[in-house]
Amino acid sequence: MSNYKFDTIKVRGGYNPKEHNDAVSVPIYATASFEVGEAERFDRLASLSEEGFIYSRLGNPTVSVLENRIASLDGGIAAVGVASGMAAITYALLAVAEGGGRILTTHQLYGGTVDALKKLYPKFGIQIDRIEDDNDIEEFRKSIKEDTKAIFIETISNPNAALYDLEAIAKIAHENNIPLIVDNTFATPYLFNPIKYGADIVIYSATKALSGHGNVIAGVIVDSGKFNWANGRYPQFSEPYFTLKDLEGNERSYIDVFKESAFAGKIRLDYLTYFGAVLSPFDAYLILIGLETLSERVQKQINNTRKIIDYLKNEESVAWINYPEIEGSPYKFLADKYFAKGAGSTFTFGFKGNTEQIYKLINSVKLFSYQANVGDARSLIVNVPKTTHGELTEEQLKLARIPQETIRLSIGLEDSEDLINDLRQAFKEALS
Ligand SMILES: *Cc1c(COP(=O)(O)O)cnc(C)c1O
């Protein structure tokens, strides 16, 4: 499949009907476990000397099609589907910093990630360092410490659509023998393939534009297969391990068994198997259906986004707009360099109203849905500091550049004129 182009892979990748009773649409394998047949076969499956399914917590054919398709769309060597975007982030970061260490990140992150990094990770022996000025590449270099295990950033940040010079950051990470892990949720593989620019691990909340219909909670971890886990900093990949015995009972390491896909192998056999946030085959199926229209959906959402931004630029009650394509955005040159097709369909703007008027604005929209999601086929609106980033302190909100008047829009697939008219009447109502 890797010879085919993006739009072919997104509808056909990782699936051969001949291996599934000629079913045209990927079947939902609603089964907890799989008939092994003979005792000797179980030994071969358990020692990974034969490929096959045993139990759906370790792997499932429907989920497997999705994993292969997404790995292929992103140019990765392997992928692991999990039950949510948060599970994907948690498993990837715990796996890389297993046994303790530091993660270097920024202040511009999804609210749930900010909370988890601040409140939970230190309890697992993982400390978090944050870049103050995310436009300053050198700050990444200066902030890497002896026990830093990875750099973690969002390729298009939630909620303000901040961008990064990924190539430069990947270079710094690799000069220091650590991987670059990115959350590519807002971009999707259609707008951006981080592996091309040096990212080692790519994470998705498949809940968002990847599935695109607001009907599933899911996550994916993509392994580029390019990072050298044998460089001495990551014994969890290079030391013999109790679950990786060969047919003779000798322990092997993740690198011995999985070679280039050691990271994905460890995520599956340790984190998915023992921590258990499994993606259900039905949810994998919904994402596969959503993926079939990924390019068409995301492109239309971008077209709509551009029209709505043009309207907001001239709207008197709008104080500022954060969207990388706008003239004067500090991220404009990065949008030009990395996001040729567009910089996503989620962005923020400042509403010139007091708290009461912000509530009134939210209450006055008729078409936009008021909900804490993004990337849906429907357009969504949310007052960020009260909702998606509601757990952040005043100080954290300031560092994340989220003033009280911040409104986030996620633009859907409706007619752009209807969306603009809806915003226009809501502004009027809120300020009346
Ligand atoms: C929503 C989101 C997540 C969390 O994903 P869930 O599927 O809700 O667990 C992580 N990162 C980003 C950028 C998100 O928008």
Side-chain angles (χ1 to χ4, degrees):
M1 262 290 149
S2 55
N3 293 332
Y4 288 104
K5 299 210 166 39
F6 190 91
D7 282 349
T8 305
I9 297 170
K10 86 188 197 312
V11 287
R12 292 180 177 270
Y15 184 65
N16 180 0
K18 290 196 174 55
E19 294 165 5
H20 301 268
N21 292 313
D22 302 312
V24 172
S25 176
V26 178
I28 301 169
Y29 282 83
T31 181
S33 69
F34 299 83
E35 182 58 48
V36 177
E38 312 159 338
E40 291 79 6
R41 179 157 183 263
F42 190 91
D43 291 345
R44 293 197 299 275
L45 290 171
S47 62
L48 300 161
S49 39
E50 179 180 324
E51 264 186 48
F53 297 99
I54 302 173
Y55 190 65
S56 279
R57 178 149 42 75
L58 291 78
N60 172 282
T62 314
V63 178
S64 180
V65 173
L66 174 71
E67 291 168 337
N68 291 332
R69 194 166 291 182
I70 291 178
S72 185
L73 288 175
D74 243 345
I77 194 167
V80 183
V82 293
S84 69
M86 285 314 296
I89 293 170
T90 306
Y91 286 4
L93 295 185
L94 288 185
V96 78
E98 203 173 85
R102 317 184 75 84
I103 303 284
L104 178 59
T105 186
T106 78
H107 289 284
Q108 311 251 26
L109 297 169
Y110 171 68
T113 309
V114 175
D115 295 343
L117 292 180
K118 179 174 175 182
K119 293 174 185 143
L120 291 175
Y121 282 64
K123 296 182 187 173
F124 290 85
I126 300 169
Q127 308 305 320
I128 310 299
D129 298 308
R130 292 177 187 79
I131 305 293
E132 289 297 322
D133 175 2
D134 46 51
N135 280 330
D136 182 358
I137 293 298
E138 283 312 305
E139 213 192 320
F140 281 97
R141 192 193 306 280
K142 279 183 268 172
S143 308
I144 295 173
K145 300 184 178 149
E146 189 88 351
D147 58 344
T148 300
K149 297 294 174 70
I151 296 177
F152 174 64
I153 56 172
E154 291 177 4
T155 53
I156 304 178
S157 84
N158 187 343
N160 285 329
L163 306 182
Y164 296 90
D165 193 345
L166 208 83
E167 218 164 13
I169 296 170
K171 192 157 167 268
I172 290 170
H174 298 155
E175 281 166 9
N176 288 278
N177 296 315
I178 60 173
L180 173 62
I181 302 179
V182 301
D183 180 337
N184 199 40
T185 297
F186 273 28
T188 80
Y190 172 69
L191 293 179
F192 190 56
N193 292 128
I195 291 171
K196 248 191 228 164
Y197 297 98
D200 300 288
I201 306 295
V202 183
I203 287 164
Y204 292 98
S205 165
T207 312
K208 314 293 170 57
L210 204 63
S211 61
H213 296 80
N215 54 7
V216 64
I217 298 278
V220 182
I221 301 168
V222 184
D223 183 352
S224 72
K226 293 188 179 146
F227 189 76
N228 175 20
W229 300 105
N231 67 11
R233 291 174 83 103
Y234 303 94
Q236 65 268 45
F237 294 99
S238 57
E239 285 176 355
Y241 199 63
F242 74 103
T243 61
L244 298 175
K245 292 194 185 79
D246 64 16
L247 273 172
E248 282 78 50
N250 305 306
E251 288 184 2
R252 299 167 294 177
S253 73
Y254 277 103
I255 294 170
D256 291 338
V257 174
F258 291 98
K259 312 278 187 296
E260 288 83 5
S261 57
F263 191 86
K266 184 174 174 64
I267 295 288
R268 182 179 306 286
L269 292 191
D270 263 349
Y271 286 82
L272 200 55
T273 302
Y274 297 125
F275 287 172
V278 176
L279 178 60
S280 91
F282 181 70
D283 288 346
Y285 171 79
L286 290 178
I287 302 165
L288 283 165
I289 299 299
L291 268 185
E292 293 186 357
T293 54
L294 178 69
S295 313
E296 290 78 6
R297 282 187 289 107
V298 172
Q299 195 58 61
K300 160 110 198 233
Q301 286 174 322
I302 288 200
N303 297 348
N304 275 354
T305 299
R306 288 174 177 154
K307 287 180 194 158
I308 286 161
I309 284 179
D310 279 344
Y311 155 68
L312 291 174
K313 276 187 200 157
N314 299 312
E315 171 57 56
E316 241 174 69
S317 44
V318 169
W320 47 263
I321 304 169
N322 280 324
Y323 190 65
E325 290 182 359
I326 286 183
E327 236 25 87
S329 160
Y331 308 112
K332 174 91 171 71
F333 76 104
L334 294 168
D336 293 342
K337 176 172 176 187
Y338 292 111
F339 292 89
K341 296 193 200 98
S345 54
T346 300
F347 63 94
T348 52
F349 70 85
F351 175 54
K352 288 184 197 160
N354 57 31
T355 310
E356 198 186 319
Q357 288 163 327
I358 292 172
Y359 273 61
K360 212 164 162 199
L361 176 73
I362 298 286
N363 293 340
S364 301
V365 291
K366 297 191 169 92
L367 199 47
F368 277 81
S369 305
Y370 177 47
Q371 42 161 299
N373 192 13
V374 296
D376 195 295
R378 287 148 287 260
S379 293
L380 318 176
I381 187 169
V382 87
N383 46 339
V384 178
K386 293 280 191 206
T387 52
T388 58
H389 291 69
E391 301 296 323
L392 273 64
T393 62
E394 284 296 318
E395 177 64 16
Q396 282 178 306
L397 284 172
K398 205 165 151 232
L399 288 164
R401 296 193 214 131
I402 302 172
Q404 283 309 315
E405 70 271 21
T406 306
I407 305 288
R408 186 185 73 188
L409 299 183
S410 168
I411 304 303
L413 299 171
E414 303 93 334
D415 188 281
S416 59
E417 231 176 274
D418 288 338
L419 293 170
I420 289 168
N421 287 338
D422 189 36
L423 289 173
R424 188 180 282 125
Q425 66 80 25
F427 284 131
K428 207 169 143 196
E429 187 66 29
L431 297 172
S432 67

